[in-house]
Amino acid sequence: MSDEDGCHLCKEDLRDPVSIPCGHEFCSICLKTYWDHADHTGSYSCPQCRVSYNKRPTPRRIGSSRHSTMQRNTESFPPPPPSPDYNYAGPQDVGCDICIGKKHKAVKTCLMCLASYCERHLKPHYESSTFKRHKLVDEIGHLDRQICPQHQKGLELFCRTDQMCICVLCTVKEHKGHDMVSAEQERAEEQQRLGATQAEIQEKIHDRLKQMEELKQAVDSLKNSAHRTLQECEKMFADMMRSIERMQQEMSKLITTNKRAALSNAEGHMERLSHEISDLRRRDNEITQLSRTEDHIHFIQSYHMLIAQTEAEELPTVSVNPYFSFGPVTKAVSEMKQHLNDFSNEELVKVAKSVNKMSFCELDDSKKKRSIKSEEAAMYKSVPVHEPKHRDDFMRYACQLTLDPHTAYRQLYLSRSNRKATLKRDPQDYPDNPARFDSLPQVLCKEPLSGGPFYWEVDWSGEGAAIGVTYRGIKRIGYGDSCRIGYNRKSWSLFCSDSSYSARHNKDQIDVNAPYSSRIGVFLDHAGGTLSFYAVGDTMSLIHRFKASFSEVVYPGYWVWYDSAITLIQM
């Protein structure tokens, strides 16, 4: 039988065939039963091609010669096929335990019979008094959980002693003497506790929603505060730049006025000297003419007059400073610039400290709190920061650092701004201090770092240098590993040379193969427990990352070899 001669629904020859708008043909009774089943959904589609219709189509009967010929050639009709039933149980349905062969969907489960029934096989439970005490519930697909695995009886009781469901036979031996109640009673009590739990959950939802709203308001306030602060800071910096411009203008005016006064004075002296030179040349000519005269009386009379005039006149001497220049002014401005830089750096560090100490929001987990002794700052744990990828993103966490002269090895020379350290052959005149490294060329920064993320950059040059962080308690006296940054459990470091890197912590040393870079970026997520070193360039290239649980505040620290130097970059 071809698909054209058969019904798609019953897979038999067409009986009383009808067609629908899409052109497919079905048995009249098959199509009616199919769409009767779909009435409750209100969605009608062709059983074969699945074309959908907004309303139930009216089938058209077929009286074609093909079907007439088929009827004439058929001596006797086989019995009509059974009406298709679309209540068969599918993979996700619970099947009737009584149906033989293909099972229908179960609609109820009997907890006494421990069986599930379709509508047809459920009728005895409604019609016979034999089943009137049986308890029917909506169909459930886990009857095995309703049966005692030991006695194969229905679970009806709850043993509070052993906290488990049991059957009646369990009370005779296994749970004899235990505190037992009916499953219904236990359910009622647990239902009350469940209600209390649900009320608690709803209260937590309310609290979380309230915290969410407060956080949203705080975020808006934060944005507004940041916007106002940026505007105010920009205005103040603009005022400071205008003040510097006024100082520049006053300095230019002062130098110009001084130059003009000096030039005017010099021009006056030059004019006077020019007149005096002309007068002296005139007298020189008179003396020359007098020396040539042959009149002795005229010579004697004129001679005495010229000599007397020359001896009576005293010409002032003009002294000139050959070393005069405006160099001292340049030096004074240079010193002012250096003082301004140092002052601005110190103030910027103060600002950065005050900003970093501000906590916008944090997770308060009272069950997991632990106190940590710290003289510098209170530690707090937060969600680890997602480490940035681009330098601009790192710069959001930039911090300003300065070297602490009280910790510097005596042969380490620090710049005036305390941002550069160079190892020299001759010791510096540093005062005694218990915080100073007395035997190793090391120096720490002044600023303690804890809590939030921090980023800074270090330029290094020479034969070798190490960059790292350490707890304050690192030993300062001696040559041992307990003093070396990166060689003990209190410190972590990256050693840099012109040919290699090595990461060091405690007794571990890891050689790192990475491209050479004279500038190293350091990213510390103190709360998240990571310390990362990057080669700074057009792109940020990770050299090494330490993972640690920092239990104290840490200080950036540096080890510098001979003819080498490190410089903290002003961010």
Side-chain angles (χ1 to χ4, degrees):
M1 180 187 66
S2 66
D3 291 340
E4 295 180 356
D5 296 334
C7 173
H8 180 77
L9 292 171
C10 66
K11 308 301 182 184
E12 301 288 342
D13 290 332
L14 288 167
R15 303 295 180 182
D16 191 15
V18 293
S19 67
I20 55 177
C22 62
H24 291 111
E25 301 172 0
F26 307 92
C27 297
S28 175
I29 185 62
C30 293
L31 185 63
K32 181 180 183 302
T33 306
Y34 180 82
W35 275 347
D36 285 346
H37 182 72
D39 274 344
H40 72 281
T41 65
S43 175
Y44 304 97
S45 62
C46 172
Q48 188 167 348
C49 66
R50 300 300 176 185
V51 171
S52 298
Y53 303 100
N54 294 328
K55 62 181 182 178
R56 181 167 177 167
T58 302
R60 184 173 60 86
R61 292 188 178 277
I62 302 173
S64 64
S65 60
R66 179 168 63 91
H67 294 287
S68 299
T69 303
M70 183 185 303
Q71 290 176 3
R72 287 195 301 267
N73 294 336
T74 306
E75 295 180 358
S76 62
F77 293 104
S83 300
D85 192 336
Y86 300 102
N87 286 316
Y88 287 124
Q92 305 300 324
D93 300 319
V94 177
C96 176
D97 292 324
I98 308 302
C99 289
I100 299 174
K102 192 172 184 180
K103 296 181 179 293
H104 286 80
K105 294 179 183 177
V107 293
K108 292 290 183 178
T109 296
C110 178
L111 297 182
M112 295 292 291
C113 301
L114 294 177
S116 298
Y117 301 98
C118 63
E119 289 184 356
R120 184 163 64 91
H121 292 115
L122 184 63
K123 289 181 179 180
H125 276 74
Y126 292 131
E127 297 173 354
S128 175
S129 60
T130 306
F131 302 103
K132 65 180 181 180
R133 292 190 177 185
H134 288 204
K135 185 175 181 180
L136 297 175
V137 297
D138 291 338
E139 52 83 15
I140 52 178
H142 45 270
L143 278 175
D144 56 324
R145 294 172 55 185
Q146 305 287 329
I147 302 174
C148 175
Q150 185 172 358
H151 303 109
Q152 301 301 310
K153 296 291 184 180
L155 299 175
E156 302 177 14
L157 304 173
F158 181 77
C159 177
R160 289 178 172 174
T161 304
D162 294 333
Q163 289 293 301
M164 61 184 296
C165 294
I166 60 176
C167 69
V168 176
L169 296 180
C170 292
T171 63
V172 178
K173 184 176 180 182
E174 291 84 357
H175 297 269
K176 184 179 181 179
H178 289 188
D179 182 12
M180 292 173 289
V181 295
S182 67
E184 184 177 0
Q185 180 181 348
E186 181 66 18
R187 158 70 186 270
E189 295 181 9
E190 290 186 354
Q191 185 79 31
Q192 293 180 353
R193 289 194 291 269
L194 186 64
T197 301
Q198 186 177 17
E200 183 180 351
I201 291 175
Q202 291 175 349
E203 183 179 358
K204 288 181 179 180
I205 292 173
H206 176 74
D207 291 341
R208 290 298 185 270
L209 290 173
K210 183 179 178 181
Q211 292 176 17
M212 176 70 76
E213 186 62 29
E214 291 175 353
L215 186 58
K216 288 180 179 179
Q217 294 177 359
V219 167
D220 293 337
S221 176
L222 171 68
K223 291 179 180 178
N224 295 332
S225 175
H227 181 67
R228 289 195 305 270
T229 303
L230 282 174
Q231 288 183 328
E232 293 171 0
C233 290
E234 287 174 357
K235 182 178 180 300
M236 288 186 284
F237 275 107
D239 292 340
M240 286 190 284
M241 286 189 284
R242 282 194 291 270
S243 298
I244 293 175
E245 289 175 355
R246 284 196 297 271
M247 291 174 61
Q248 179 187 10
Q249 294 171 358
E250 291 294 331
M251 185 65 65
S252 299
K253 183 178 178 181
L254 180 64
I255 294 174
T256 302
T257 302
N258 193 284
K259 179 190 73 173
R260 288 176 179 173
L263 291 177
S264 178
N265 189 23
E267 289 172 356
H269 287 310
M270 291 175 66
E271 184 177 359
R272 180 177 178 179
L273 289 173
S274 179
H275 288 311
E276 291 176 353
I277 291 171
S278 298
D279 187 58
L280 290 173
R281 285 177 176 171
R282 180 182 56 77
R283 294 182 189 181
D284 182 61
N285 290 333
E286 290 178 355
I287 291 174
T288 300
Q289 293 177 2
L290 182 62
S291 64
R292 294 176 180 173
T293 184
E294 295 180 355
D295 187 345
H296 302 305
I297 299 301
H298 174 70
F299 177 86
I300 293 172
Q301 292 174 345
S302 299
Y303 169 76
H304 287 288
M305 182 177 64
L306 286 172
I307 293 302
Q309 184 178 4
T310 301
E311 291 177 352
E313 183 179 18
E314 292 185 2
L315 297 177
T317 302
V318 178
S319 60
V320 178
N321 180 10
Y323 303 105
F324 176 83
S325 72
F326 286 98
V329 178
T330 304
K331 182 179 179 182
V333 174
S334 177
E335 292 178 352
M336 182 174 64
K337 173 189 172 185
Q338 187 63 44
H339 291 322
L340 184 61
N341 285 340
D342 293 342
F343 175 76
S344 62
N345 290 337
E346 292 174 0
E347 294 303 311
L348 195 57
V349 169
K350 292 179 182 178
V351 172
K353 282 184 178 179
S354 64
V355 172
N356 289 333
K357 286 181 180 179
M358 296 168 57
S359 175
F360 175 64
C361 63
E362 57 185 88
L363 185 65
D364 182 14
D365 191 351
S366 58
K367 295 181 179 179
K368 295 183 179 179
K369 277 187 176 179
R370 59 192 182 101
S371 59
I372 298 175
K373 295 181 179 180
S374 173
E375 298 180 8
E376 293 80 13
M379 295 281 296
Y380 65 89
K381 291 290 182 183
S382 65
V383 178
V385 173
H386 182 66
E387 195 158 313
K389 300 297 182 183
H390 305 288
R391 187 170 184 268
D392 290 343
D393 298 328
F394 281 102
M395 294 301 290
R396 295 183 341 194
Y397 307 107
C399 60
Q400 305 298 329
L401 302 177
T402 51
L403 301 174
D404 185 359
H406 298 307
T407 65
Y409 179 58
R410 292 186 183 277
Q411 290 177 234
L412 278 178
Y413 175 79
L414 303 187
S415 64
R416 179 180 295 183
S417 60
N418 289 332
R419 289 184 175 276
K420 183 176 182 180
T422 308
L423 186 62
K424 302 288 187 178
R425 298 288 177 178
D426 300 324
Q428 306 299 310
D429 188 19
Y430 292 141
D432 292 337
N433 194 301
R436 189 177 311 285
F437 291 99
D438 72 337
S439 303
L440 294 173
Q442 298 181 154
V443 61
L444 304 183
C445 286
K446 295 179 181 179
E447 295 77 16
L449 305 180
S450 67
F454 303 92
Y455 177 73
W456 66 97
E457 293 179 354
V458 182
D459 274 348
W460 71 276
S461 59
E463 295 185 7
I467 303 165
V469 299
T470 179
Y471 295 150
R472 185 176 184 179
I474 190 172
K475 190 176 179 182
R476 312 299 174 96
I477 300 175
Y479 292 93
D481 289 348
S482 59
C483 304
R484 298 175 184 268
I485 298 175
Y487 284 81
N488 48 70
R489 61 182 180 86
K490 296 182 178 181
S491 59
W492 298 258
S493 72
L494 179 74
F495 175 76
C496 309
S497 71
D498 57 0
S499 60
S500 64
Y501 300 99
S502 61
R504 299 170 177 174
H505 172 63
N506 205 2
K507 301 299 182 181
D508 298 327
Q509 176 173 323
I510 302 174
D511 294 331
V512 181
N513 184 17
Y516 168 82
S517 176
S518 61
R519 178 168 295 188
I520 304 298
V522 187
F523 182 77
L524 170 67
D525 183 3
H526 191 279
T530 61
L531 174 66
S532 306
F533 297 89
Y534 288 85
V536 179
D538 295 335
T539 58
M540 301 293 288
S541 177
L542 178 65
I543 299 175
H544 185 75
R545 178 182 292 114
F546 288 105
K547 292 186 177 181
S549 297
F550 298 108
S551 59
E552 305 175 22
V553 298
V554 297
Y555 292 80
Y558 311 93
W559 178 90
V560 186
W561 190 235
Y562 284 107
D563 298 323
S564 301
I566 60 99
T567 304
L568 303 180
I569 303 303
Q570 185 174 358
M571 310 297 282

